[in-house]
């Protein structure tokens, strides 16, 4: 039906963001400021370790300093918060990333909320969520921000469109719903208790898959011409969308990998540079 | 089609809440604690003055003390914040209500956010919004909380239903969308930029009208058997819903007046008593 759907190339979007960041990092260097991201990883989950390594490498390539803190899986909530509070106080650290998920015995919400709002470059705090929902966040949650950046880069219309978000997590489904709403989409948020999920997805002009289940969104759920953003990243480099099947119906779609993922990292870098810029101006 | 739609009686719901509150107020009195709500009104808008008077009267009837602060319309943002900060410090004051809307020259968001989260009984702060969106707010925004209380009282199912919210304001459309979502509804948030609003409303099992336009939601937009919650309150005691026309199609509907309004006030009282209870326990 759509002979040539547009493949939304996250590497291209990320590259453009990084070019602009590189010159900003140089300007900061002239002032003697080196943006610095602290990453905190708790436990030994191999995927989480990979994500952290990817983020650290991306920092390095751009001249952003990184401080990597790896904590044992037995770390308590109190110990983790103590580490975060030290990073809050450290004037050399501009941004703090606590890699999600943390081990189950840790109160992740309390740990996220220990991050100072000025350093919450991953957009995970309760306060940051609300600022984002009200449209004035300094650092919106990175994956939702990446999704918006991709649509912006490819000039895909959001205003007046019906966006269906599949998933309602605090760091993905909820904030991306809020950002789409603030950009004048009519937004439906679906989840595991939704009755007739296919029906909702079929009515969508924009589909955001943020459910964490491999190839969950099927080709025959897609309205012809819909735009599909796949925020999933499951083992084996598989998204939440059945890419090949959905490609038959969509007008535009992000692949996995090389879709939302690289832009998410670019947003993290951008927020870190923003934080350093803001601090250097104070 | 629906011979006998249920009229959702807000006065009845409010009365039940107040009966429970009355005994809690008595228990607090034994401990020498009198719950106290401070109301802040800026300017001379007659509707706002009426709302404040209704809230103060409701406090009085229940044995909740009220401190009424009326400020001239020329009050600056800084002066208003100073007043709020004094109330934050006052150990006798348990809850603070800043009547919405404030005059245009005031930064309402900054004023709301000056309210201490412990005294934000109207649920208007940025932090309180996010706590509510994440499902752990002490004081959810009062009108959204009232809507949920009405559905709870009448045992109307929310989980798995499609709720369509018309309106996206920070104190009504957004928080009620969040609360419906947290109660497992599939939630669509519509607004002035929505294309095909009638189509969305027609697909709703639950319609929440929070748009601030008299009789905006029409009878022929309503799916037979839908539940309608009208959070509007326009001059002349007119809701956002064309009541008589919608009554023909709905299975349950709130009237205006005597629908969401009295329960909103009851929630404000409940939150004030909750705040006093929490303080007395500390």
């Amino acid at each position: 039906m759509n002979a040539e759907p547009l493949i939304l190339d996250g590497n291209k979007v990320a590259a453009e963001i990084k070019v602009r960041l590189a010159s900003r990092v140089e300007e900061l260097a002239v002032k003697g400021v080196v943006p610095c991201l602290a990453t905190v990883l708790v436990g030994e989950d191999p995927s989480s370790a990979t994500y952290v390594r990817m983020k650290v490498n991306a920092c390095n390539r751009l001249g952003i300093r990184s401080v990597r803190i790896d904590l044992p899986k037995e770390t308590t909530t109190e110990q983790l918060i103590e580490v975060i509070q030290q990073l809050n106080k450290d004037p050399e650290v501009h941004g703090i990333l606590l890699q999600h998920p943390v081990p189950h015995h840790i109160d992740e919400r309390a740990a996220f909320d220990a991050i100072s709002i000025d350093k919450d470059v991953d957009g995970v705090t309760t306060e940051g969520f609300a600022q984002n929902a009200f449209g004035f966040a300094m650092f919106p949650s990175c994956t939702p921000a990446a999704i918006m950046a991709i649509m912006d880069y490819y000039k895909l219309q959001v205003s007046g469109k019906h966006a269906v978000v599949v998933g309602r997590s605090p760091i993905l489904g909820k904030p991306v719903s809020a950002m789409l709403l603030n950009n004048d989409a009519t937004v439906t948020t679906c989840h595991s208790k939704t009755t007739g999920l296919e029906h909702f997805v079929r009515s969508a002009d924009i589909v955001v898959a943020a459910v964490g289940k491999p190839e969950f969104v099927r080709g025959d759920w897609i309205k012809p011409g819909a735009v599909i953003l796949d925020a999933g990243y499951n083992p084996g480099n598989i998204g939440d969308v059945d890419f090949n099947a959905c490609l038959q119906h969509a007008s535009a779609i992000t692949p996995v990998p090389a879709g939302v993922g690289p832009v998410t990292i670019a947003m993290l870098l951008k927020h870190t540079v923003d934080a350093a810029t803001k601090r250097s101006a104070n």
Side-chain angles (χ1 to χ4, degrees), chain A:
Chain A
M1 187 165 285
N2 297 286
E4 293 184 61
L6 185 61
I7 308 292
L8 304 170
D9 183 344
N11 286 329
K12 215 159 122 182
V13 181
E16 199 200 55
I17 295 168
K18 287 181 193 169
V19 165
R20 284 199 301 266
L21 285 181
S23 65
R24 289 180 59 197
V25 170
E26 279 178 35
E27 285 167 31
L28 285 169
V30 173
K31 297 187 200 169
V33 177
V34 180
C36 172
L37 176 71
T39 64
V40 181
L41 173 66
V42 186
E44 289 138 17
D45 177 63
S47 301
S48 293
T50 302
Y51 295 145
V52 168
R53 196 164 48 241
M54 287 166 73
K55 290 165 187 175
V56 166
N57 289 343
C59 283
N60 292 344
R61 281 195 293 271
L62 210 69
I64 295 172
R65 195 164 75 88
S66 56
V67 175
R68 188 171 164 168
I69 298 175
D70 291 356
L71 300 172
K73 65 176 186 297
E74 300 77 18
T75 305
T76 65
T77 301
E78 292 67 30
Q79 288 167 335
L80 177 55
I81 287 176
E82 172 63 26
V83 167
I84 290 168
Q85 284 170 341
Q86 289 299 326
L87 294 170
N88 285 339
K89 281 184 220 153
D90 186 339
E92 302 289 313
V93 169
H94 301 104
I96 301 170
L97 168 91
L98 172 59
Q99 182 63 42
H100 166 85
V102 295
H104 288 300
H105 68 275
I106 291 177
D107 180 344
E108 184 175 79
R109 178 47 47 202
F112 277 155
D113 283 340
I115 299 172
S116 161
I117 186 85
D118 297 327
K119 300 192 179 187
D120 179 24
V121 290
D122 202 26
V124 295
T125 59
T126 300
E127 178 80 10
F129 171 83
Q131 291 182 353
N132 188 30
F134 289 168
F136 60 85
M138 177 137 185
F139 309 123
S141 192
C142 286
T143 303
I147 287 169
M148 302 311 294
I150 290 169
M151 288 198 280
D152 187 53
Y153 180 92
Y154 282 100
K155 298 188 170 40
L156 300 168
Q157 192 183 335
V158 176
S159 176
K161 297 293 182 185
H162 183 208
V164 171
V165 176
V166 186
R168 56 172 165 173
S169 72
I171 55 174
L172 190 40
K174 285 180 178 179
V176 79
S177 295
M179 293 183 90
L180 288 160
L181 183 63
N182 288 339
N183 281 274
D184 293 334
T186 301
V187 181
T188 301
T189 311
C190 299
H191 45 80
S192 57
K193 300 289 172 59
T194 290
T195 308
L197 178 62
E198 307 92 288
H199 157 80
F200 286 104
V201 175
R202 266 192 204 107
S203 71
D205 304 310
I206 299 168
V207 179
V208 177
V211 68
K213 292 182 184 170
E215 298 187 342
F216 182 76
V217 173
R218 295 168 44 158
D220 59 358
W221 296 5
I222 302 301
K223 181 167 82 172
V227 172
I228 306 178
L229 289 305
D230 186 349
Y233 196 75
N234 303 290
N237 269 352
I238 296 168
D240 286 355
V241 164
D242 183 343
F243 180 81
N244 288 322
C246 289
L247 192 63
Q248 310 301 316
H249 305 279
S251 65
I253 183 169
T254 55
V256 173
V260 174
V263 189
T264 296
I265 293 181
M267 293 313 303
L268 178 69
L269 302 178
K270 177 182 180 295
H271 292 167
T272 303
V273 174
D274 289 345
T277 304
K278 195 180 174 206
R279 178 92 60 76
S280 73
N282 287 347

